[in-house]
Amino acid sequence: MHASFNLAALFDAALKTAATATGLDAADFAPEVRTADPKHGDFQANGVLPYAKRTKQTPRALAEKLVAALPADVREACAITVAGPGFINFTLQPAALQSWLRTFSTREQLSAGAATAYSGQTWVVDYSSPNTAKQMHVGHLRSAVIGESISRLLAFSGAKVIRDNHIGDWGTQFGKLIWAYKRQLDTAAFAEDPLAEFERLYKVGNNASDADPAVLKEAQQELVKLQSGDPENTAIWKEIGEVSVSSFQQIYDLLGVRFDTTLGESFYNDKVGRVYQELTDCGLASESQGALVVFHPEHPRFKDQPFLVRKSDGAANYASTDLATILYRREHFHADAAIYVIDSRQGDHCQQLFLTAQKWFEKTGRKVPRLEHVAFGTVLGEDGRPLKTRNGDNIKLKDLLSEAVERARRLVDEKSTDLPEDERRVISEVVGTGSVQYADLSQNRSSDYLFSWDKMISLEGNTAAYLLYAVARVRSIFRKLEAVPGDSAVEADASPLETPEELSLARKVTKFSDAVALATNQLRPHFLCLYLYELAGEFSTFYAANKVAVDDPAVRARRLMLCARTLLMLETGLDLLGLRTVNRM
Ligand code: ARG
């Protein structure tokens, strides 16, 4: 059998071939091959049943017919059984497992194998995207962490990814902030932490405007001046932007987040006029009491709730800039897809935005990119309410991450007593930050997730520390044997896999491809997390029962090959999640 990276996809294609060969309508048949429960085999086709029902055939008989028509190389490589009412199970023969392990021995080979339908497509990933003049807080964690991992997954599968930080750097808040800046700037506090000072000033301006209508008026005038390009206010606004972005950058550096472009809302200021014009010309938007609105009469919820794309005072809003952004992403980046990693509470905005853009692009004869809201839930404290400080303030991301590193440090001091200070420091950083990232990623992003220091920074369970420790353990095996992971001269001597633990680990290793495909296609990194956790467990079982440092060079070689591939999948997988790894722990 030709070694194919994604075996699930290979069996899927083989079943389609078999369907055509038996004279069935393969176009209507989705075999749905997925990683199986190990009790049943390696992979299972679930699609025979629904297809048999649709075409009024007996599922089992159909399954048997398909199996008989499978290409000869597939039948040689696997034991194939029909189970239950018509599932087809594939169990790879040891030789097929071994040949897969031999073929996929580097990250480059994995990435080439992972190339999917997305290869060559351009995907804009809109993530993090905080508002300027405010420090990032815990609410900003998920978008950055999930968006980074999804960007890495898409790039790994061959997509051209443009990571765009769509910062909120425009809006009415700047009037109040500039008003306060001009009157109450505390230069010492500013020198200490400029962004914290801007945050304070905004509160000052906001409170004063609430308390006194005259102040509100002055603040509005500051805003008008900014909007009309007044040099002094523009300079203040620019400074706010620069200070904000450089403070965000500190967090991004800790999290390993890297953007290709940071095009904030202000970038689209001169691009919204064209949106109003086109939407009006193509008959989508209409004026309503001075505002410009788009109705979606066919939509059950939005039919009475129009999408406001220009405010009644003529000013642009969130929707106007987001529409201009979609056009820019299509025209400038030639985006085939644009995905928005935003809190699920912005679901309505996204739906109305996408509906409007789809209709607009169709009416104007443009290709409609795939638009998707990669929504996620809220970070909750252990009391089940949104995570806050004891005083009810938002927890600053900076503080949260340093606490993570401190807590990881305690774990490291307890466990790695023999390591030098500078190494312990690095390990604490990797484990601390990685734990926060991993706790977020290992949950299905659609749900809220409970933030628990004790569960997250632990060597037990599905945690970053557990996986990082597994990496360090495999590395230490190679160190002790003075061997290099993936050394092809050593691996050439490997004898056939034999023990149940060897085979079982090899089976798990080959499922990397399916886990990556699932995480990428569904834009859900938790599938990869779960896989890595199970892989690490499988490795422990193997290592407890099978000595690697044996005298027989052929046995040793095949076990080293298993160690090397486990390491490759763990390290590649963790990198795709955005985590760093360490060689010792
Ligand atoms: N700045 C927005 C916020 O903090 C998020 C922007 C998300 N991206 C977008 N294109 N709307 O809520």
Side-chain angles (χ1 to χ4, degrees), residues 126 129 131 166 318 322 340 342 346:
D126 179 326
S129 308
N131 297 334
H166 187 82
Y318 194 44
D322 256 336
Y340 295 71
I342 327 180
Q346 291 193 31

Side-chain angles (χ1 to χ4, degrees), residues 399-436:
D399 297 342
L400 184 100
L401 293 174
S402 28
E403 182 166 355
V405 174
E406 262 166 48
R407 285 177 182 261
R409 177 66 202 232
R410 277 177 241 159
L411 187 74
V412 171
D413 284 343
E414 223 172 89
K415 303 276 169 191
S416 326
T417 35
D418 48 340
L419 296 179
E421 164 61 27
D422 53 345
E423 204 172 335
R424 284 197 217 180
R425 210 194 53 242
V426 175
I427 299 171
S428 311
E429 280 166 19
V430 173
V431 172
T433 319
S435 298
V436 173

